[in-house]
Amino acid sequence: MASKALKTTAVAVTAAALLLGATACGSKNDNTSNNTTNTGSTNAGTNTPAAENVTITFQNIYPDPETPSYKMLHTIVDQYQKDHPNVKIELDSLNTDQQKLKLKTQAASKEVPDITIVNPSAQMKPYVDAGLLAPLNDMLDQNGLKDTFQKGLLDSYSFDNNVYALPDGNNIEVVYYNKDLFTQAGITAPPTTFEDLVADVKALKAKNITPIAIGEKDSWTGSFLFMNVLLRTNGGPGFLQDVIDGKKTFKDPAFTDAVSSFQDLIQAKAFPDGATSVDYNTGGNLFKTGKAAMYIMGTWETGAIDASSVAGKVGVFKFPKVKGKGDPDQYMLAPGSAFAISANSKHLKETKDFLNYFMTEMPKKQFELKNAVGSGQIMTGDFKAAGYSDLAIAVLDLFKNVKGGDLAFDNTMKPAIAQAHLSSIQNMFVQKVDPANVANEHQSAYDANK
C-alpha cells in the first residue's frame, strides 16, 4: 500500500506542473439532463415529464465555515441544486471522529446516508463486506472522471475489481511551524532530530507558548503523530505489515522505543492542557490563530493555514530522525478520506449523478480557493502564477522527494485492533505510562482480533 502511495505521490509531483484537469474539471456533467425520474405527470403546458423531488443526504467532514474545503463543498452543492431544482442536497457535516462513530451506528442498522465518508483499505473493508456500499465503476466511466485521479490512488478503495469510494486527497504528514513564535523562543532553525524537537518544545514552553497544537478528542490525531515516531524508530516503513506477517510483535524494541520517545514529547508539555477534550478543528485552530508554534498534520491543511490569520508566517519541515534512525523523506502517507454511496440508497441513480458532478467540479474549485495541495485528482497549472503561497510551494517541493512511508494505523489494522491502539495512545496524553504496558495492550488486542 505504501509503495502505491509513493508511486502516486511521485506521479503527482513529476507533473510539477500539476495541471488543472481541463478535461474533467472544466467539463459539465453530461448526465444532468437525464437524471430525473418520470412520475407519470407532466410540466404544465408541455409534454415533458415532471421530475420527482429527490433529497440526497451528503455526510461529510467539512464542518468548519472558515476552511476552503467548507466553501468548496457549499459552492458546488449550491450550484448543483440551482441547476437541478428538484434535487435537495441535505448536508450532514461532522468532525472526523463524530462521522466515523455515526457511520458505525448507521451501518449497524443498514441506514447508511446516500453519500458518506470512508477511509481506505482496512477501515472500509467491513462496510464493503457487509454489502453497504455501491460499486462506482459505472459512474467513474462517465465524463472521463476515472482519469482525473492520480495513478494507483483508486486501488486503496477497490475490492474485487470494484471501486467503492472516491478520495478527496493524497497527502503526507508534515510539521508546520510559526516562524514568529520560533523567533520569540530563540529558535533559529527547524529541528533536524527528534531530540532537538523536544528541546524546542521546552524552549517554547519556557516562553509560555503552546508548542504543538492538537485536538486529541479525535483520537486519530495523536495516533497519526505517534506513527511518525514509529516510522523512524523502525528505521523505515513496514512495521505494522511485519506484525501482520508474523515477523515482529508489538513488543519489538522499535515499538517500545517509539512509545518511550513519544512519551518524552508529552512529558515535555508539548501539547495543550486538556488536549483530549479538544476536537480536531478546535485543536487546529490553536495553530491557525497564532496560539501554538507547531502543527503536525497532513498537507491537506495547507490551504486552511494560508486562509488563516497566520498566513505568511508559517514554514514547513519534515518530521525529524529519532535516535538517529529513519529517513526524513519517508512520511506518513494519507491517501485521504473518500466519498462512498450507500448500496441501499433510494435514489442511487441521482446520487451517482450528483457525486459525478461534485468530483468533476472539485479540483477546479479547490484550485481557485488555493486549496489544491495534496489533491487526489490530477491538476495542471502554474501554482505560483495562480497566487499560491510560499508555504504551498514549499509543501509541493517536499512531495518531489518522497521515498515512501506508512499508512495510518487504522488504515492498516482491523477496526477492533485500531480502536485499542487509539485508546492506548490517547491515554498517554492523560498519564505517564510504561512502554512495556502499551506494547502489551497492543499485542493483546492484536492476538484477540487478528
Side-chain angles (χ1 to χ4, degrees), residues 326-353:
D327 183 340
D329 283 323
Q330 293 175 328
Y331 294 84
M332 288 306 300
L333 307 170
S337 53
F339 304 100
I341 291 178
S342 169
N344 299 319
S345 170
K346 294 178 182 176
H347 309 292
L348 189 58
K349 180 182 176 184
E350 290 84 354
T351 303
K352 284 187 176 181
D353 184 84

Side-chain angles (χ1 to χ4, degrees), residues 119-398:
N119 291 101
S121 305
Q123 278 198 61
M124 67 180 291
K125 190 172 186 301
Y127 300 117
V128 174
D129 291 345
L132 295 173
L133 304 182
L136 304 179
N137 303 43
D138 55 343
M139 186 261 275
L140 270 167
D141 290 336
Q142 296 173 5
N143 309 331
L145 178 60
K146 187 175 183 178
D147 294 334
T148 70
F149 289 92
Q150 294 176 24
K151 189 176 180 182
L153 182 58
L154 293 176
D155 292 348
S156 296
Y157 307 89
S158 300
F159 300 86
D160 297 328
N161 297 317
N162 286 317
V163 179
Y164 287 94
L166 308 181
D168 63 354
N170 191 26
N171 292 273
I172 55 176
E173 188 173 24
V174 298
V175 187
Y176 299 101
Y177 72 104
N178 184 313
K179 296 176 183 177
D180 286 356
L181 295 182
F182 264 42
T183 298
Q184 288 180 33
I187 303 169
T188 56
T192 56
T193 70
F194 187 80
E195 295 72 23
D196 287 344
L197 175 64
V198 174
D200 289 346
V201 162
K202 293 177 180 177
L204 289 159
K205 195 67 183 174
K207 294 292 184 180
N208 293 318
I209 299 169
T210 299
I212 303 175
I214 196 167
E216 180 56 8
K217 184 178 180 180
D218 291 19
S219 52
W220 66 269
T221 53
S223 165
F224 200 33
L225 200 165
F226 165 78
M227 289 297 291
N228 282 282
V229 185
L230 178 58
L231 177 62
R232 298 289 182 260
T233 58
N234 190 52
F239 177 83
L240 295 182
Q241 190 60 51
D242 282 347
V243 172
I244 293 171
D245 293 342
K247 298 176 182 176
K248 290 182 179 178
T249 73
F250 285 101
K251 298 178 183 180
D252 188 277
F255 187 80
T256 52
D257 282 353
V259 173
S260 177
S261 295
F262 192 56
Q263 185 163 249
D264 288 345
L265 198 62
I266 294 173
Q267 294 300 314
K269 305 292 184 185
F271 305 103
D273 293 338
T276 56
S277 63
V278 175
D279 66 24
Y280 170 79
N281 288 315
T282 305
N285 282 336
L286 289 175
F287 180 80
K288 294 170 203 168
T289 56
K291 296 175 183 172
M294 287 180 274
Y295 189 30
I296 304 176
M297 190 45 65
T299 45
W300 61 77
E301 283 285 2
T302 304
I305 291 170
D306 277 336
S308 74
S309 63
V310 295
K313 301 178 181 177
V314 177
V316 64
F317 62 90
K318 309 166 188 175
F319 196 86
K321 292 185 175 185
V322 179
K323 297 182 178 178
K325 296 181 180 178
D327 183 340
D329 283 323
Q330 293 175 328
Y331 294 84
M332 288 306 300
L333 307 170
S337 53
F339 304 100
I341 291 178
S342 169
N344 299 319
S345 170
K346 294 178 182 176
H347 309 292
L348 189 58
K349 180 182 176 184
E350 290 84 354
T351 303
K352 284 187 176 181
D353 184 84
F354 166 70
L355 187 57
N356 179 289
Y357 174 86
F358 184 84
M359 297 305 297
T360 54
E361 288 293 304
M362 187 167 72
K364 182 171 63 178
K365 296 300 178 189
Q366 292 282 56
F367 191 89
E368 290 172 358
L369 291 163
K370 298 183 177 54
N371 195 39
V373 174
S375 169
Q377 290 172 278
I378 300 168
M379 297 187 188
T380 55
D382 189 331
F383 280 75
K384 196 159 189 174
Y388 274 72
S389 69
D390 290 343
L391 173 64
I393 301 300
V395 171
L396 288 168
D397 284 343
L398 293 181

